Amino acid sequence: MSDQDLMQLYSRRILALTATIPHLGRLPAPQGSAMRRSPQCGSSVTVDLVLNNARIGDFAQEVRACALGQASAAVLGASVMGRNRDEIATARDALEAMLKHGGPVPPTPFDGLEALLPARDFPNRHASILLTWDATLAAFDAAQASAA
């Protein structure tokens, strides 16, 4: 990877997102928790959440990932509150399609994922970008299972 490629990949916008990741940390009493790790790069994300009427009422994320994974976590964290599982799954699938298949940027409120468009050309980074989304869906499933 050339220096120019790295500069494009870690743009100022991506780096700005990494500095503003919402909901960092862990919840004291989550209904559901999940950790996901990328074996390719070692990035990991742990998500805790509490549901309120099948929507995310409280959320926390512990993010140990590259700048791209952190940027993805920042976009999710900024709009996760009040979302249901289908909304998160739809945005996650749109993000994957954007990265792997040239699909469009996910719609509002997750359109900030546009900052990750340069990562399309770096498939080895896709898993890290999807970590926080996969952990959120797994935590959602765990919360629903514990409530049943």
Side-chain angles (χ1 to χ4, degrees):
M1 186 179 300
S2 74
D3 288 345
Q4 182 61 31
D5 289 339
L6 280 173
M7 291 295 288
Q8 180 183 358
L9 188 59
Y10 294 102
S11 70
R12 288 183 185 166
R13 186 162 172 216
I14 289 171
L15 294 176
L17 284 169
T18 68
T20 61
I21 302 173
H23 307 290
L24 279 176
R26 301 292 304 267
L27 295 180
Q31 287 178 321
S33 295
M35 191 276 282
R36 291 294 180 264
R37 182 180 175 277
S38 170
Q40 285 183 317
C41 65
S43 293
S44 67
V45 174
T46 301
V47 168
D48 295 331
L49 55 78
V50 173
L51 298 179
N52 184 4
N53 295 321
R55 294 187 173 275
I56 296 174
D58 203 1
F59 176 87
Q61 56 185 343
E62 188 171 75
V63 182
R64 295 173 195 220
C66 66
L68 296 170
Q70 291 178 44
S72 182
V75 173
L76 173 66
S79 297
V80 74
M81 299 303 289
R83 303 282 166 212
N84 65 34
R85 190 188 191 290
D86 287 344
E87 290 170 305
I88 300 298
T90 298
R92 184 252 181 244
D93 292 346
L95 172 59
E96 182 176 39
M98 179 189 88
L99 293 171
K100 296 182 178 184
H101 308 294
V105 173
T108 302
F110 302 111
D111 52 337
L113 293 167
E114 181 213 6
L116 297 169
L117 279 170
R120 281 180 170 164
D121 298 331
F122 301 93
N124 61 330
R125 303 294 184 171
H126 295 174
S128 180
I129 293 168
L130 293 168
L131 279 179
T132 195
W133 300 86
D134 292 339
T136 300
L137 290 170
F140 208 110
D141 293 342
Q144 288 181 318
S146 73

